[in-house]
Amino acid sequence: QTAACEFIGNLGRASSVANTALLADMQQFGGVNTEGCSELEGPTGTAYILQFEDNDNAIVLVGGANQDWPGLASLLGGNEGSGLRAAIGRSSAVMLQREVPDHVNVAVAQCAAALGKDVFMDVGGTDSPLDPALLPYLGVVAPNESELTFITGVETKGPDGKPELQRVRAAVAALKDSCRAAGNPSVEVLVTFGGEGSLHFGAGWDGAGEAAADG
């Protein structure tokens, strides 16, 4: 970590002891500000990570307190969202993830964009498409090759199950087209491939002429 970081989320009171230890570790070893975290009744939510023989993995998520948030209007203008809005105002950029309801990310993205803050979207957390209401506000979208297929409907892997560059480019082009249609022509895309590295597609990349170059 090279800059100050603030984590905002809901934790379940059923794991109160573990919550306290987790937040203490984040503060002590990561220098993360966790004052925006709340503890609610019930469980936090659980992630089951399945690792395969080829070192790929799959994640199964069961929601809990991380799914319990005020409505969109309250987050954008009500008292319940005042702490969240204040944190966005203090930030240089916000990072979203999809283990919370879509409307929470929409609220944060709208608020951040209105304040001139960069919005970074970590696509992990669900295999559903991106909420169209998010597309106008995203500065950087970061999926792995499987998540890129989830959010675009474009297959990124060949018959051998491995990602193929031409397919990845086609999927990124589709994502950029969707953002462009939503009034966001300058979104960047960072596609990760686990131990194989990553590919960055800048704001000006549109895929034009690459099919010919690949041939």
Side-chain angles (χ1 to χ4, degrees):
Q1 170 184 328
T2 58
C5 178
E6 185 168 355
F7 173 64
I8 297 176
N10 292 335
L11 305 174
R13 196 161 287 128
S15 56
S16 184
V17 174
N19 297 343
T20 299
L22 171 65
L23 297 181
D25 282 349
M26 293 174 67
Q27 294 165 0
Q28 181 176 354
F29 300 108
V32 177
N33 182 345
T34 62
E35 292 177 358
C37 290
S38 299
E39 197 170 69
L40 309 179
E41 290 299 331
T44 297
T46 305
Y48 298 93
I49 303 175
L50 313 176
Q51 185 169 9
F52 304 114
E53 291 181 355
D54 62 357
N55 290 323
D56 199 357
N57 67 74
I59 303 175
V60 179
L61 299 172
V62 180
N66 55 345
Q67 293 289 313
D68 188 1
W69 289 80
L72 179 65
S74 294
L75 291 174
L76 286 174
N79 289 335
E80 291 177 295
S82 60
L84 178 62
R85 297 193 301 273
I88 296 170
R90 294 191 294 270
S91 72
S92 299
V94 297
M95 175 180 281
L96 310 177
Q97 53 82 28
R98 301 207 293 166
E99 295 176 24
V100 298
D102 283 343
H103 77 270
V104 179
N105 283 332
V106 171
V108 173
Q110 287 184 359
C111 182
L115 294 172
K117 314 294 185 178
D118 292 325
V119 180
F120 192 105
M121 178 84 248
D122 176 356
V123 175
T126 176
D127 58 3
S128 62
L130 286 174
D131 188 326
L134 274 173
L135 299 184
Y137 309 107
L138 301 179
V140 180
V141 181
N144 62 31
E145 73 275 12
S146 298
E147 294 162 350
L148 182 57
T149 295
F150 296 154
I151 63 176
T152 64
V154 178
E155 181 56 66
T156 58
K157 298 178 181 178
D160 62 356
K162 297 180 179 179
E164 294 182 353
L165 181 57
Q166 190 167 358
R167 292 174 181 263
V168 170
R169 287 171 171 167
V172 171
L175 175 58
K176 281 178 157 278
D177 284 346
S178 296
C179 290
R180 188 177 298 108
N184 181 4
S186 58
V187 65
E188 300 178 39
V189 182
L190 177 65
V191 185
T192 60
F193 301 95
E196 300 300 316
S198 61
L199 282 175
H200 176 251
F201 298 81
W205 186 90
D206 62 5
E210 290 214 0
D214 289 339

